[in-house]
Structures are given as C-alpha cells and as structure tokens.
C-alpha cells in the first residue's frame, strides 16, 4: 500500500486517467461573474473501466448541487489512484490547491495549516452524522480536518469446500464455520495441511499491505498501533505476543504455505484463494467478487481473537478535505450536499463499499442503500472498528517501516520484540507529541 489507507474495492485496478474534468452546467475554471464562484474539486477514480468510472457520479452530484445553489459552479477533476495524491501535492506546492480534495491522506495538510476544520465547513447535522470511529480518525490534535468518504472493514475468508473436505466443518453444518479463538484457527490450519492444502492460512506481510495484515493481528490480540491516548504503542506486550503466535504457531508449523510471509503480497494471496489453493485468509470486499467470479464457495467471519474475547476489528477509510482558498461557505454547502444519505449510498453502492455516515449505515442495514447483501457482515463491524493512526503526520513513514521489516519478525528465529521496539522507537522519534 502507498499513502492510502486501503486499496478499496475496485481501486486496485483503477484507470490510468490523466484527468476527467467535469462541470455540472458547463462552467469553466475561475470566476464566471461578480457574484459567482467556481469550486475546484479533485477526486479519485474507483472504477476499473469507462462504464463504471467515478466521473459519472461526480457529474450528477455537481449538476444537482448547482441546480439547488445558483451562483456556485462545480468543476471536478477525476484522477486515478496512482496519481491523485501526487496531483494534489503538486497543486498545493504551486499555490493552486483545489477547494476540495478526495484523496488518501490529510494530516500533512492539516499540520501545515492549509485546511478548514470540519466544524468550519459543515452543518451541525452533517458533522454529527459521521460514524464515531471514522470522525475520530479524521482528527489532528483533537480537531477534525479529514472527513471520511468511504470505508471498509476486514473479515476472515475461508474456502468452504477445503474446510469441509478437511473435516473442519461438518458437511451438514447450517451456520458454516464460526471460530472464536486463535487456537481454533491453528487447529483448522493443521487439518488443512494434513489434507494437502498448499496454503492452509495465507499471511501476506509483503510490501503491498503488510501494515494492514499486521494491524488485524495486533487488534485481535488486544493491542494495536496506538494506545487509548493515541500515542504509539507498537511494541506493547500484546503486539509482541501476537507476532510470537504467528512465528511459532502459524509460520513455524508450516501452516502459511510455501511463500515467506514477508514476500507474499495481498493480491497474490487473493489470487491463490480464487484458485482454490488457500484455506483461510483475511480479506476486504474486493475478494467477494474475485472469489465468486472463479466459482469459489466461501464464508466470511469476524477475525478470531487471541483469547476468544471480542476486540475491535480494523477499519479503513479514504478522506475528503477542504483547503483554505477563501471559499469556506461554498465548500461547506457542497460538502453538506455530498454527505446527504442518498448521495453517500449512491457511491458506495456503485463499488460495494461502506457508508461513513449513520444515515447511510442505516440505509444499507435496512436494505435500501444499494449495497451488495454480502457486505452486511463487513458493515456490522464498522461502528466499533479502529483505523490506522492517519491523523499523525508520521504515519506514512511508520507504515513504510512496517512494510520493510515486519516479515522478519515472524520468520523462524525472528525476534518480534526487537523488531517492534525498533519500529516503535523510530515512530516515537517522528511523532514526539
């Protein structure tokens, strides 16, 4: 993964567009009259072909907003995920920041004093509608600057046929497999190995998304990247024990397949799952369509925990921010429009993502949000989920450190405590607050 929290849904195959520029009613850039304002919006492409391009959504959104707000024109430029963050960075550096950006990270701009806070922009109703964990993740020094756009959580996927053939799940089981603890996970992996499954449990700690896989295990062990005060706690006792479990019980017993975890990327693990070579792995909504498209029968459950007790699941989000360009009032109106329930679910329904607002969440729960039924399990985990510490300017560097080094900790003979201590020391030095 790069600076983004997650390659959500189809974004991993996002179009390599230079830019798709949209105006709701044909407005050009700049002022179009003494009393008119043009908002420049930059957004990311979530589609993987011209037919499902995000440009369609933004065009409709802009047109509807302009009809309701004469005198405010909206110009949207849609870029692929491979370039959108860099495009915005270049704009800011050149002194031409967009009014609104929908990208992967906000903390750098907030720390530099370039963003309006959420309470400077949004109506009380809109600001209060964000799901709590997502609103908290958008804060820098307890002030919200990042507004969540779409979200996702992670679940444990398992191949129904492989688990049934290995005797993990009874053939007549009505409720599928419902593991609660790591001990059950280990026992299932051993049965899969005994049945000849190439990779009983895929553990992708390669560069693509090592920070996500690591966080899932830390949370399930009662730890996490930060403590309750949002200070780095990467080397906590709980985190050390989680990696020791992976080293000794999963990797050490040959339950994670032929590829070293530190060399296995997320998509490669997904591909192996769709080929029927993986019994279990942690996954996000992208895997639903990939596996179903290959005819794999699978189940999805909440990640088992170290002791069987409930712990927070991992959540992820992409972000919206508004730059201080003198258009605070107009940007706020547009953002209030963006976060109306019908507009939230229109986008999440296009890409099988999760809504970030309470009203959107309820719409999906009630079946009126246009989201695939299989996503309800992901949705249930969202309100209590924990996200990356994206409010820390240091997070991008810490994430990179994890990607480069965490795989070493779980190899036979690896030293989880030492690896985590080194990462934590660097993290604290980069974030002394």
């Amino acid at each position: 993964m790069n600076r983004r929290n997650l390659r959500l849904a189809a974004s991993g195959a996002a179009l390599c567009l230079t830019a798709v520029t949209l105006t709701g009613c044909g407005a050009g850039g700049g002022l179009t009259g003494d009393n008119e304002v043009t908002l420049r919006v930059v957004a990311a492409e979530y589609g993987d072909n011209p037919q499902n391009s995000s440009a369609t959504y933004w065009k409709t959104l802009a047109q509807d907003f302009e009809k309701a707000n004469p005198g405010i024109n909206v110009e949207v430029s849609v870029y692929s995920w491979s370039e959108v963050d860099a495009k915005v960075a270049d704009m800011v550096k050149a002194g031409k920041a967009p009014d609104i950006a929908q990208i992967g990270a906000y903390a750098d701009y907030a720390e530099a004093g370039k963003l309006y806070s959420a309470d400077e922009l949004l109506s009380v109703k809109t600001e209060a509608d964000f799901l709590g964990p997502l609103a908290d993740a958008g804060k820098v020094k307890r002030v919200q600057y990042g507004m969540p756009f779409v979200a996702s959580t992670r679940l444990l996927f398992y191949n129904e046929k492989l688990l049934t053939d290995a005797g993990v799940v009874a053939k007549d089981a009505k409720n599928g497999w419902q593991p609660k603890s790591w001990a059950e996970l280990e026992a299932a992996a051993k049965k899969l190995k005994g049945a000849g499954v190439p990779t009983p449990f895929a553990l992708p700690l390669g560069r693509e998304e090592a920070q996500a896989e690591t966080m899932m295990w830390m949370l399930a062990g009662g730890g996490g990247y930060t403590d309750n005060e949002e200070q780095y706690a990467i080397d906590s006792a709980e985190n050390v024990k989680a990696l020791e479990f992976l080293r000794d019980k999963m990797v050490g017993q040959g339950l994670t397949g032929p590829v070293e975890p530190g060399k296995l990327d997320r998509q490669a693990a997904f591909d192996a799952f769709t080929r029927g070579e993986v019994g279990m792995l942690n996954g996000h909504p992208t895997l639903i369509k990939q596996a179903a498209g290959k005819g794999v029968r699978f189940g999805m459950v909440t990640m088992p925990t170290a002791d069987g007790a409930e712990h927070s699941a991992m959540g992820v989000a992409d972000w919206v921010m508004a730059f201080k360009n003198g258009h605070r009032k107009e940007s706020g109106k547009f953002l209030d429009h963006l976060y109306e329930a019908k507009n939230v679910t229109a986008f999440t329904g296009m890409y099988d993502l999760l809504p970030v607002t309470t009203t959107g969440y309820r719409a999906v729960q009630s079946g009126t949000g246009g989201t695939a039924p299989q996503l309800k399990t992901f949705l249930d985990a969202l309100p209590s989920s924990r996200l990356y510490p994206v409010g820390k300017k240091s997070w991008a560097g810490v994430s990179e450190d994890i990607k480069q080094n965490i795989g070493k900790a779980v190899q036979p003979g690896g030293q989880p405590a030492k690896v985590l201590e080194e990462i934590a020391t660097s993290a604290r030095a980069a974030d002394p607050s």
Side-chain angles (χ1 to χ4, degrees):
M1 292 280 286
N2 57 14
R3 289 178 64 205
R4 291 193 64 221
N5 297 341
L6 172 70
R7 294 291 187 189
L8 291 171
S11 61
L15 293 174
C16 293
L17 305 174
T18 52
V20 177
T21 302
L22 312 164
T23 55
C25 296
L31 296 178
T32 56
D34 291 341
N35 298 316
E36 292 192 357
V37 168
T38 294
L39 292 178
R40 294 183 300 116
V41 180
V42 172
E45 175 62 75
Y46 287 78
D48 59 1
N49 61 69
Q51 285 68 47
N52 70 353
S53 172
S54 302
T56 302
Y57 168 83
W58 288 102
K59 180 178 181 179
T60 299
L61 187 79
Q63 287 176 336
D64 290 346
F65 175 77
E66 290 181 355
K67 289 178 182 177
N69 296 273
I72 306 177
N73 303 302
V74 181
E75 180 184 281
V76 186
S77 297
V78 179
Y79 296 94
S80 70
W81 267 114
S82 64
E83 61 180 348
V84 67
D85 284 336
K87 287 287 185 181
V88 172
D90 288 344
M91 292 175 188
V92 173
K93 186 176 180 180
K96 298 179 179 179
D99 293 288
I100 295 170
Q102 182 266 301
I103 52 178
Y106 64 87
D108 289 7
Y109 301 123
E111 288 275 3
K114 296 183 180 298
L115 303 180
Y116 291 116
S117 63
D119 63 1
E120 291 178 303
L121 295 160
L122 305 175
S123 67
V124 173
K125 179 181 178 182
T126 301
E127 188 177 2
D129 198 27
F130 290 124
L131 292 171
L134 302 180
D136 288 342
K139 294 178 180 179
V140 173
K141 297 178 181 177
R142 303 186 185 279
V143 177
Q144 185 179 358
Y145 295 95
M147 291 159 279
F149 180 62
V150 288
S152 181
T153 52
R154 302 298 174 89
L155 296 174
L156 176 68
F157 284 69
Y158 64 89
N159 184 306
E160 291 182 354
K161 183 179 186 304
L162 293 181
L163 265 68
T164 300
D165 291 348
V168 176
V169 181
K171 293 183 179 180
D172 59 350
K174 295 181 180 180
N175 297 319
W177 188 44
Q178 297 291 331
K180 299 297 182 183
S181 69
W182 288 354
E184 293 175 77
L185 205 64
E186 177 191 352
K190 287 180 177 178
K191 287 186 177 181
L192 289 165
K193 181 180 179 181
V197 175
T199 302
F201 193 103
L203 185 64
L205 294 177
R207 283 190 51 80
E208 182 182 350
E209 214 181 22
Q211 82 286 3
E213 184 72 22
T214 301
M215 184 173 174
M216 281 182 271
W217 287 96
M218 287 179 170
L219 291 175
Y225 288 133
T226 56
D227 58 23
N228 291 334
E229 300 300 321
E230 293 304 312
Q231 300 301 309
Y232 280 121
I234 297 169
D235 54 349
S236 70
E238 293 84 359
N239 291 344
V240 172
K241 288 180 180 178
L243 295 192
E244 288 177 343
F245 171 81
L246 293 177
R247 179 195 63 188
D248 300 337
K249 301 299 185 180
M250 301 303 287
V251 180
Q253 297 188 91
L255 304 180
T256 55
V259 181
E260 291 181 20
K263 297 180 180 178
L264 180 63
D265 282 339
R266 172 77 61 199
Q267 190 56 53
F270 282 9
D271 292 342
F273 186 81
T274 65
R275 294 193 300 267
E277 300 170 3
V278 173
M280 303 172 285
L281 81 170
N282 292 313
H284 53 69
T286 299
L287 188 54
I288 294 176
K289 289 184 177 179
Q290 291 181 9
K294 297 292 185 178
V296 176
R297 290 188 296 108
F298 61 90
M300 301 179 298
V301 295
T302 301
M303 173 72 168
T305 64
D307 54 5
E310 290 189 6
H311 295 299
S312 296
M314 188 183 81
V316 289
D318 291 327
W319 302 96
V320 172
M321 63 217 69
F323 287 86
K324 292 181 176 179
N325 287 348
H327 296 155
R328 180 186 62 81
K329 182 178 179 181
E330 294 84 358
S331 293
K333 284 186 176 182
F334 182 74
L335 291 170
D336 280 337
H337 177 69
L338 172 68
Y339 285 110
E340 289 179 12
K342 64 179 181 179
N343 295 326
V344 169
T345 56
F347 192 88
T348 57
M350 286 177 67
Y351 302 110
D352 285 347
L353 300 173
L354 303 181
V356 297
T357 61
T358 300
T359 52
Y361 176 87
R362 289 172 179 167
V364 174
Q365 283 285 63
S366 66
T368 61
T371 303
Q374 301 99 313
L375 292 182
K376 292 260 182 96
T377 308
F378 288 92
L379 188 70
D380 291 341
L382 186 59
S384 61
S385 64
R386 288 181 62 182
L387 284 78
Y388 297 131
V390 291
K392 293 181 177 293
K393 184 178 179 180
S394 59
W395 170 242
V398 174
S399 176
E400 183 62 28
D401 201 0
I402 293 167
K403 292 177 183 181
Q404 291 182 7
N405 295 295
I406 207 69
K408 305 171 187 176
V410 303
Q411 284 301 100
Q415 299 179 357
K418 181 180 179 181
V419 171
L420 290 179
E421 182 182 9
E422 290 174 349
I423 295 172
T425 299
S426 296
R428 291 177 184 128
D431 188 70
S433 61

